[in-house]
Amino acid sequence: MSDATPGRLAGRSALVTGAGSGIGAATAARLRADGARVYTVDMKGEVDRHADVTPPGINAQLVAEAVTLHGGLDILVPCAGVSAFHPLEGHDDAYFDMVMAVNVTAVFRLIRDAVPALKQSRHGRIVTIGSTMARFGDAGLVAYGTSKHAVLGMTRSVACELGPFGITVNCLQPGAIETPMTEQAFTQMPQFKTYWENKAALGRLGQPEDIADVIAFLCSDDARFFSGQGFFVDGAAMQRQ
Ligand SMILES: NC(=O)c1ccc[n+]([C@@H]2O[C@H](COP(=O)([O-])OP(=O)(O)OC[C@H]3O[C@@H](n4cnc5c(N)ncnc54)[C@H](O)[C@@H]3O)[C@@H](O)[C@H]2O)c1
């Protein structure tokens, strides 16, 4: 984490899912360091509330809990996500449905269910977590690639609908970040890790804090006129052939 900006998010209330690990955990830490009160949710890890974000009704409950605990809701970061390699041939329906349920449907429900509270805020912020995978495709990642394209489309539509209420909505698209999600792939396929290290003009993989710091900026007043964007935070990997 870069130096916190104490007080930048003072008085703001945030809800972060997927906060038990990786990018979500780093985001919760950074938002707190900047002064926000953060309600953290995940199936595992050290969070305020253990929950699976996929059952119908749970997202409304999580929003209600955050509002009750902190007296309102200003910032929403749906970060819970899943990814694994599955070849298309023999790809079972259940895995595809599960990826869509976590990466897309749960994000949609959380945003929808947070709208009344975010409308009350004078600083409503939604940051969805897409991927560079919404720019290209890759073998074995049909479910993940489909889900991240969907998150980008959702972000753009929601930004148009919630703009009149002063709520900004952006989709941060990380490059390859060292988290438990990528750890297994990097171990199984070291060439995959080397590929991403070399592809980034900055010459390294990203760290969760590289993403969290940008999220905190997007949640601040400095980003008040920035909305409806999908953008890469990838060390310029997507700018290189
Ligand atoms: N790591 C990367 O290179 C990378 C790149 C682009 C996008 N992303 C996205 O960033 C987000 C965070 O990923 P990460 O890399 O930190 O991975 P991670 O595995 O470290 O964290 C994801 C968290 O989501 C939680 N989660 C998964 N399913 C859940 C469910 N049904 N209910 C509640 N929690 C659930 C997991 O328990 C885990 O703690 C994901 O949306 C991922 O797609 C990651």
Side-chain angles (χ1 to χ4, degrees):
M1 180 166 47
S2 67
D3 288 345
T5 313
R8 177 164 72 165
L9 298 176
R12 309 285 162 86
S13 156
L15 171 52
V16 181
T17 69
S21 173
I23 294 168
T27 298
R30 176 67 206 238
L31 296 179
R32 281 188 177 130
D34 282 3
R37 291 159 296 171
V38 186
Y39 191 50
T40 52
V41 177
D42 201 304
M43 287 169 82
K44 60 183 190 198
E46 285 185 31
V47 288
D48 297 316
R49 161 80 141 103
H50 282 129
D52 176 352
V53 295
T54 59
I58 186 67
N59 289 286
Q61 213 176 313
L62 296 172
V63 168
E65 288 167 6
V67 169
T68 302
L69 197 64
H70 295 142
L73 186 64
D74 308 287
I75 295 166
L76 196 62
V77 186
C79 197
V82 287
S83 169
F85 284 91
H86 279 251
L88 186 55
E89 264 193 287
H91 197 304
D92 62 13
D93 288 353
Y95 180 75
F96 187 89
D97 291 346
M98 187 275 286
V99 172
M100 296 302 282
V102 178
N103 292 5
V104 182
T105 310
V107 176
F108 156 72
R109 288 177 179 153
L110 190 68
I111 292 173
R112 177 198 61 195
D113 296 338
V115 167
L118 291 171
K119 277 183 174 177
Q120 300 282 318
S121 166
R122 289 182 298 113
H123 316 272
R125 298 279 189 273
I126 300 171
V127 184
T128 61
I129 311 300
S131 169
T132 48
M133 277 291 295
R135 166 83 161 262
F136 60 91
D138 210 351
L141 285 172
V142 61
Y144 188 72
T146 302
S147 74
K148 292 303 181 180
H149 277 77
V151 167
L152 180 57
M154 188 192 311
T155 304
R156 289 171 169 153
S157 296
V158 171
C160 294
E161 192 158 338
L162 298 187
F165 305 101
I167 300 167
T168 71
V169 191
N170 291 291
C171 179
L172 191 157
Q173 300 172 263
I177 311 300
E178 283 192 289
T179 69
M181 181 179 278
T182 46
E183 193 177 287
Q184 196 185 359
F186 289 160
T187 306
Q188 283 172 346
M189 298 177 288
Q191 72 279 13
F192 182 55
K193 183 176 182 183
T194 312
Y195 170 82
W196 279 103
E197 282 167 347
N198 293 333
K199 192 162 170 56
L202 290 177
R204 65 173 175 87
L205 298 171
Q207 296 303 313
E209 292 75 17
D210 294 324
I211 305 303
D213 290 354
V214 180
I215 292 174
F217 162 72
L218 290 172
C219 295
S220 76
D221 285 341
D222 290 342
R224 61 195 169 276
F225 202 54
F226 189 79
S227 192
Q229 305 298 315
F231 63 94
F232 303 123
V233 180
D234 67 345
M238 287 300 102
Q239 311 313 321
R240 303 181 93 198
Q241 293 296 319

